[in-house]
Amino acid sequence: LAKTTQPISMDSYEGQEVNITCSHNNIATNDYITWYQQFPSQGPRFIIQGYKTKVTNEVASLFIPADRKSSTLSLPRVSLSDTAVYYCLLERGSTLGRLYFGRGTQLTVWP
Amino acid sequence: DTGVSQDPRHKITKRGQNVTFRCDPISEHNRLYWYRQTLGQGPEFLTYFQNEAQLEKSRLLSDRFSAERPKGSFSTLEIQRTEQGDSAMYLCASSWDRDAEKLFFGSGTQLSVL
């Protein structure tokens, strides 16, 4: 699977909107873009998945441009409890569940 | 539904000893995965079961590692002759065929090999 590139760390303040961008220049036609969140001493938690355009759920929004070579996870009005590592992954139908996580983005939210 | 359960949460062992971890997936999930995570890194895929069949093993899973899922429910991961390099968090995840891209992870077993 093609790998992704995302910032190692980001800082924000409570109440702000946070956008984490992920690059995946070699994304394949049948790859889906998936984001997971991980708190210390816990396993990752699925946040959102998309193929193109925009996907929104109760936690976040995912923006994917037409060329699909990047994607942006948007977290509205973050709180201290959103401090976590966020992973951007590509998931292919033929390899469902066999995920390549990379190092993720450590988001720290300050009061 | 209590989520994916892993036991024990922590394990300290001496080099050369054998250890076994248990994972109880979400009951209706037929897919089960093992991952390993070291400090500062993302989880790395180890192996995958569909029901009781082990369908894929990563090259990371050396001969000292063995995983089973005898009745398609819980799974065990055994490490024989542990080495210090085996120290890591071992994560179990499960998913359902009809929603296979959404993995549910347990809280992991933290292994420390002294």
Side-chain angles (χ1 to χ4, degrees), chain A residues 34 36 38 41-46 49 87 91 95-104, chain B residues 9 31 33 35 37 40-43 45 48 56 89 91 100-107:
Chain A
T34 309
Y36 279 78
Q38 186 175 26
S41 301
Q42 293 187 27
R45 181 177 76 109
F46 175 93
Q49 184 183 70
Y87 296 97
E91 193 159 12
T95 60
L96 285 172
R98 284 158 276 177
L99 307 175
Y100 177 77
F101 276 85
R103 296 186 65 181
Chain B
R9 287 296 312 274
R31 297 181 177 216
Y33 309 84
Y35 280 76
Q37 184 172 25
Q41 304 296 319
F45 170 78
Y48 152 57
E56 186 170 345
M89 174 77 80
L91 293 160
E101 71 280 2
K102 186 184 293 185
L103 268 61
F104 291 80
F105 282 84
S107 295

Side-chain angles (χ1 to χ4, degrees), chain B residues 9 20 40 42 55-56 59 63 76 79 86-87 93 96 103-104:
Chain B
R9 287 296 312 274
T20 300
L55 297 186
E56 186 170 345
R59 285 171 289 180
D63 292 344
T76 58
I79 308 174
D86 297 331
S87 294
W96 188 34
L103 268 61
F104 291 80

Side-chain angles (χ1 to χ4, degrees), chain A residues 33 35 48-50 53-56 60-64 71-73:
Chain A
I33 301 155
W35 287 80
I48 198 166
Q49 184 183 70
T53 62
K54 177 183 174 182
V55 180
T56 298
S61 295
L62 179 59
F63 298 92
I64 305 168
S71 58
T72 300
L73 176 73

